[in-house]
Amino acid sequence: SLPRNRRFGAKISSTYMSGDENFAFTEVSFYNYDTKTCGSPPLLNDYRGSNSSTVNGNTCQFWSTQSPHSHSFTDAQYPGKGLGGVPFGKINGCVAHSNIEVLRDLNLTPEQCAKKCVDHGPECLGVKYFPSRISLDHSNGVTEAYEPGDCILSATTTVGGCDNSQYEMEFYPRLEDGNVGDLTVNHNYCRNPDNEPGGAWCYTSNSTIRWEYCDVPECVNDPNLLEEYYEYRITWTATRSPDTLSLQMGELEVPGFLGEAPVMSNLDYAGDYVASVVHGSSEIIVEGGSSSSLNYALNGDTHKFFINRETIDDVPGMKITPSHGRWSVVTGLRVYTANNNAGADPIKYRIEGRVLGGANMRVRYANRCLQSYNNGRVRTTANCDTSSLSQRFYMNELGEIRSKYNPGLCLDPRYGISYPQHGHQFHACFSDIYGEDSSEARIQQFIIVPETEQIQSVYYENCIEYHSTFNTIYQNGCRTHVVQKFWFSEGYFKSWFGTGTWNLISQRNLPWVSDFDRNPNGVHISSTYGNGDDARYYMDVKFYDNTTPYYEYRVSFPELRNPDSLVLQISEVELPGMLLDEGEYIPPDSTARSYWLACGGTGGVVYEHCAVAEEVAQDNEVHEVRCCADSPLTGFTYKFATCAAQVGRKVWGESIIGGKCHGIKTYAEAVGICKSVGSRLCTKEELLADCTSETGCMFNHEMIWSSTPV
């Protein structure tokens, strides 16, 4: 006798507005109507607003009265229809624990609390109301706290013999009709308790007009009224037979409105899109716990990575400094599940980025570059290489000097105080071991004195000095000598935004995965920029609006599937995004760098075309652009006599790039213009050798950007 869809496998044809009438189905609506302002069409029987006049302007009669019109529409006869009129008395005593619903944080009045009981229906027989903050100690040892205005709907009208005043809780049971109570929920608002076809109505206060319909608006099925979500969980809390161990159905449909598909922001940089900008990163610092599996967090397979936290209040996560040393833009996060213990899965994430750059650290005395080695030693070299991580150093907001080649280590001035032949070395960072505010951390902190180009130890108050005999740097008393002068090129040595705070990229819930979606341990992950490995289980989120490049990232997981779990478990973290080419991005808060300008055409005579042959400019100034290439390019000119003969190599030059001249450009814009055709900025030496003179745009009389830093 029950309706069944007996055509197994038949196609269902439904629309947004209605299901397929050829089949039996159940249907519910999730529109979040405000029934205080409208009613669901066509009957409007769920209207609970305060309209108390009819379509002809007559005032409505109170439902609890029988004058001027007698009637049988009372809350007792039509429970749950919003008629009100039920008195509540106030008595003392210990109320039985027969709660229907606990209403917290609504700051209700006693009358509003009683109204909630009436709206709930006949099952509610009374309300417990809390006029002040209290804590109730139950016999099972559980303590519950209630705030002023909290309300409990109760299924009983009885109390015990104890004095309830000790709890400062008020109990109002429903009284029998005709009794007068402390609270009366009474109104004359339009309602439709008997499902009249014309909608909400009321008895009028006009003795000659018994009843009329009211002008109550219909609730419109406007998708804008719905909340937007990315994923859904549907749970069936009961089945027709309470003893069945299975659930079955023919089809599940969730009709609704699909919003516009989000579009990734356009990244106006040159670089490489990669599956993870932190893949293989060697500097990982665990936060909110400890881990002995750091090498598995970013290694490209499903080996389990875990963080043990001491308390459930600790937020597990990690700081990641990519070893490639390039700027990157993160456009998403992928978290692959571990092989077991689903309760240790993260369900929320937070990702932040900050600028921690790197630069060549040069000695003025011999224009040599510092270089770090895997044993922590520091030496200098004449072969300065901007692409070598062993020559990339940076100072963080604490004043520590760190090496991109030796992540997690800091320059330690204790080495090389008495024996300059040994020199300073990179050692484990005391701020990571003892804390950023510890006295030990001060030992490895330095300050830069811009006026003298010296680097001074905070702890020893000496200055770093270059020792040419031993080819080392060491501590010596500060003095005005060129061996204590250092400068930085091809990057940002002291580079962080503001005081080094982390900048939020994104935070929200991770997509849901099943307890059973587990990855086998130790299997290779094959992913791309656009997609994770579909053969593996992972949670994937997109950062559609992020376009800001960073050097370093912090990924944390504020909430786990099991909130009491003391361990976080995953198998891999990926941050898909773009690795930027060198020179593609200059942070807005970084100090401007200086480069040499050279006259566009010297003609062999320094002052023939320009006031000076060369001068210094900061990279945020604007000047003219000419480009050079190391191999033939279309439109580029090769000059042997004036160029190659002087610089000792073949160089091709051009002024007209992309069909037009380029003047009044910043250094970064100049770099980008030359890169757009596969060329580069010329060096100061090449410009002074006239490698680009007479190549057009009348720039022979202008000062041209060079790639040579000051």
Side-chain angles (χ1 to χ4, degrees):
S1 61
L2 299 176
R4 301 285 91 186
N5 292 312
R6 303 191 183 279
R7 288 181 291 162
F8 184 76
K11 180 176 176 57
I12 297 173
S13 179
S14 55
T15 66
Y16 164 70
M17 293 301 296
S18 62
D20 190 337
E21 301 294 343
N22 296 312
F23 298 94
F25 62 90
T26 57
E27 182 178 24
V28 292
S29 174
F30 303 140
Y31 275 100
N32 188 22
Y33 298 132
D34 183 2
T35 55
K36 293 181 180 180
T37 61
C38 62
S40 299
L43 300 180
L44 313 183
N45 55 7
D46 57 352
Y47 174 66
R48 295 297 183 268
S50 57
N51 184 4
S52 59
S53 62
T54 69
V55 291
N56 293 318
N58 289 307
T59 301
C60 294
Q61 174 184 316
F62 277 78
W63 294 100
S64 61
T65 64
Q66 298 293 318
S67 176
H69 306 287
S70 62
H71 62 87
S72 61
F73 288 94
T74 65
D75 179 71
Q77 293 294 322
Y78 293 87
K81 300 299 183 180
L83 298 181
V86 179
F88 289 77
K90 180 179 179 181
I91 59 177
N92 291 327
C94 292
V95 182
H97 296 291
S98 53
N99 299 343
I100 298 173
E101 184 177 2
V102 178
L103 305 176
R104 297 181 183 272
D105 303 325
L106 298 179
N107 197 23
L108 301 174
T109 64
E111 290 77 14
Q112 291 170 329
C113 180
K115 178 68 165 55
K116 295 286 185 182
C117 182
V118 172
D119 291 343
H120 185 85
E123 180 188 9
C124 183
L125 299 179
V127 294
K128 306 170 189 177
Y129 180 74
F130 300 88
S132 60
R133 190 180 192 278
I134 67 170
S135 295
L136 297 182
D137 297 321
H138 299 292
S139 59
N140 60 0
V142 176
T143 299
E144 287 186 286
Y146 295 92
E147 300 295 332
D150 284 354
C151 171
I152 299 177
L153 306 187
S154 177
T156 183
T157 61
T158 61
V159 296
C162 66
D163 180 11
N164 195 49
S165 62
Q166 62 178 308
Y167 297 131
E168 299 181 19
M169 177 180 68
E170 301 171 355
F171 180 56
Y172 297 90
R174 284 197 192 205
L175 303 180
E176 297 295 331
D177 288 346
N179 292 333
V180 178
D182 298 89
L183 301 176
T184 300
V185 182
N186 191 18
H187 65 76
N188 65 334
Y189 306 146
C190 300
R191 296 291 185 263
N192 190 6
D194 59 342
N195 294 331
E196 287 290 336
W201 60 276
C202 71
Y203 292 106
T204 77
S205 58
N206 187 332
S207 61
T208 63
I209 302 174
R210 182 168 174 78
W211 70 275
E212 286 182 325
Y213 286 114
C214 301
D215 187 14
V216 173
E218 294 183 351
C219 295
V220 180
N221 288 353
D222 183 0
N224 292 323
L225 297 175
L226 297 174
E227 297 289 339
E228 295 182 347
Y229 298 99
Y230 281 105
E231 61 180 359
Y232 299 89
R233 171 188 285 173
I234 301 173
T235 304
W236 283 267
T237 57
T239 55
R240 190 184 300 273
S241 171
D243 298 327
T244 186
L245 295 179
S246 64
L247 169 76
Q248 62 182 30
M249 67 188 72
E251 179 74 359
L252 173 67
E253 293 180 336
V254 184
F257 180 77
L258 287 177
E260 293 185 4
V263 179
M264 297 297 294
S265 298
N266 184 35
L267 300 181
D268 293 325
Y269 306 109
D272 305 310
Y273 286 98
V274 294
S276 181
V277 301
V278 297
H279 178 67
S281 299
S282 53
E283 182 176 2
I284 304 174
I285 299 176
V286 169
E287 297 185 314
S290 61
S291 177
S292 59
S293 60
L294 282 179
N295 55 321
Y296 293 145
L298 308 167
N299 68 334
D301 66 31
T302 60
H303 272 105
K304 186 186 329 186
F305 167 71
F306 60 87
I307 297 177
N308 293 315
R309 53 182 184 171
E310 293 185 3
T311 72
I312 60 174
D313 296 324
D314 295 330
V315 177
M318 64 189 94
K319 291 192 298 187
I320 308 170
T321 301
S323 58
H324 49 65
R326 295 164 63 179
W327 291 96
S328 60
V329 179
V330 168
T331 59
L333 167 68
R334 301 187 194 120
V335 180
Y336 289 78
T337 60
N339 64 327
N340 59 12
N341 193 5
D345 287 351
I347 61 174
K348 289 186 177 180
Y349 75 90
R350 177 183 176 91
I351 180 169
E352 302 158 283
R354 70 176 178 182
V355 176
L356 282 178
N360 291 112
M361 188 172 174
R362 295 174 180 250
V363 186
R364 284 287 186 195
Y365 177 75
N367 199 26
R368 297 171 68 87
C369 286
L370 267 64
Q371 184 164 329
S372 60
Y373 296 86
N374 55 15
N375 60 1
R377 295 286 179 88
V378 182
R379 296 292 185 265
T380 70
T381 176
N383 299 318
C384 294
D385 184 357
T386 61
S387 64
S388 173
L389 292 181
S390 65
Q391 295 185 24
R392 305 290 279 184
F393 303 89
Y394 65 88
M395 176 182 282
N396 64 16
E397 66 272 22
L398 297 177
E400 298 168 335
I401 296 177
R402 298 197 176 209
S403 166
K404 306 293 285 186
Y405 184 71
N406 291 302
L409 304 184
C410 292
L411 189 66
D412 197 325
R414 295 177 303 166
Y415 299 90
I417 293 179
S418 304
Y419 304 98
Q421 63 267 35
H422 293 165
H424 288 348
Q425 296 182 19
F426 279 90
H427 190 272
C429 296
F430 290 155
S431 63
D432 295 333
I433 300 173
Y434 303 108
E436 295 181 354
D437 298 326
S438 65
S439 58
E440 290 85 354
R442 293 183 68 251
I443 296 175
Q444 297 172 336
Q445 294 173 1
F446 299 86
I447 58 173
I448 297 176
V449 185
E451 297 79 10
T452 61
E453 296 185 324
Q454 290 171 307
I455 303 176
Q456 186 175 8
S457 167
V458 172
Y459 186 82
Y460 295 106
E461 298 184 353
N462 290 325
C463 289
I464 296 179
E465 181 168 313
Y466 168 63
H467 200 291
S468 58
T469 302
F470 300 118
N471 192 26
T472 60
I473 58 172
Y474 69 106
Q475 286 286 299
N476 201 1
C478 296
R479 56 192 179 122
T480 57
H481 195 283
V482 69
V483 293
Q484 290 189 359
K485 293 180 180 290
F486 295 85
W487 62 289
F488 314 98
S489 66
E490 295 303 321
Y492 298 91
F493 179 71
K494 189 177 179 181
S495 55
W496 58 83
F497 288 145
T499 59
T501 56
W502 291 91
N503 302 283
L504 179 65
I505 298 174
S506 177
Q507 62 176 356
R508 59 185 173 95
N509 293 335
L510 285 164
W512 180 84
V513 294
S514 168
D515 295 9
F516 304 102
D517 292 345
R518 305 291 100 194
N519 288 305
N521 200 33
V523 178
H524 176 70
I525 295 174
S526 179
S527 55
T528 65
Y529 166 72
N531 298 286
D533 190 337
D534 290 335
R536 309 285 171 251
Y537 296 110
Y538 63 92
M539 297 165 274
D540 188 14
V541 290
K542 306 290 186 186
F543 308 148
Y544 293 100
D545 299 323
N546 184 47
T547 59
T548 305
Y550 295 104
Y551 268 118
E552 187 178 48
Y553 297 94
R554 170 189 277 166
V555 182
S556 55
F557 302 102
E559 190 171 334
L560 307 183
R561 188 192 298 266
N562 177 4
D564 296 325
S565 175
L566 291 177
V567 61
L568 162 79
Q569 281 191 182
I570 55 178
S571 63
E572 183 79 359
V573 171
E574 291 181 339
L575 299 181
M578 173 185 276
L579 294 178
L580 274 58
D581 289 343
E582 182 73 26
E584 273 298 300
Y585 179 69
I586 297 177
D589 291 346
S590 295
T591 304
R593 291 181 295 175
S594 298
Y595 291 87
W596 285 104
L597 302 175
C599 182
T602 65
V605 180
V606 171
Y607 300 108
E608 181 176 331
H609 294 298
C610 306
V612 294
E614 59 190 51
E615 63 181 3
V616 174
Q618 290 189 327
D619 57 8
N620 55 5
E621 297 179 23
V622 289
H623 296 282
E624 280 60 43
V625 182
R626 280 177 167 173
C627 302
C628 287
D630 299 314
S631 58
L633 290 177
T634 302
F636 279 59
T637 302
Y638 168 58
K639 295 184 177 182
F640 174 76
T642 57
C643 175
Q646 295 186 53
V647 300
R649 60 183 180 277
K650 293 183 178 181
V651 179
W652 286 258
E654 182 54 63
S655 300
I656 302 174
I657 306 298
K660 59 181 180 180
C661 301
H662 298 273
I664 317 180
K665 301 296 182 182
T666 65
Y667 176 81
E669 291 173 330
V671 170
I673 290 167
C674 293
K675 280 189 175 183
S676 67
V677 293
S679 62
R680 56 174 174 80
L681 280 183
C682 308
T683 65
K684 180 180 74 170
E685 178 189 27
E686 292 166 344
L687 291 172
L688 294 178
D690 283 339
C691 295
T692 61
S693 67
E694 307 298 335
T695 58
C697 298
M698 301 181 68
F699 284 170
N700 277 14
H701 300 270
E702 305 294 341
M703 300 303 290
I704 311 299
W705 278 115
S706 83
S707 63
T708 305
V710 176

